[in-house]
Amino acid sequence: MIVVDANVLVLLLDPDGAMEHIARGRDRIVHLIDKLVRERTEIIIPAPVIAELVAGRVDRIEDIVSILTRSRGFIVQ
């Protein structure tokens, strides 16, 4: 089991996220998530992290929730 924070989800779900200081951030997160899913590791997302993620992205709430609920390995708690 691993618990992720909003930074991980911003890199994964928001290509316009302001994290230019992290070289290839999205590629790194995608690689990590793929590895964890292959190893059948539960990826826990605390509910407050979802709230933090969608703050300022109100127009994308349905899209974000859909992506997270369809993705294997993610568990919102």
Side-chain angles (χ1 to χ4, degrees):
M1 171 176 56
I2 185 171
V3 179
V4 298
D5 67 359
N7 292 318
V8 170
L9 296 181
V10 167
L11 286 169
L12 180 65
L13 300 172
D14 190 356
D16 299 326
M19 293 196 186
E20 298 87 23
H21 62 283
I22 301 174
R24 297 181 53 224
R26 185 173 194 290
D27 294 338
R28 290 176 171 186
I29 293 300
V30 168
H31 176 73
L32 173 64
I33 299 296
D34 288 346
K35 181 177 187 257
L36 293 171
V37 168
R38 278 193 312 273
E39 294 173 353
R40 298 176 192 253
T41 302
E42 293 178 329
I43 306 166
I44 306 297
I45 304 170
V49 169
I50 300 294
E52 185 178 349
L53 177 66
V54 298
R57 296 175 181 87
V58 176
D59 57 324
R60 294 196 54 221
I61 290 175
E62 291 178 15
D63 182 42
I64 290 169
V65 171
S66 174
I67 291 169
L68 294 177
T69 56
R70 285 187 322 221
S71 300
R72 289 187 346 194
F74 288 120
I75 300 170
V76 178
Q77 293 194 341

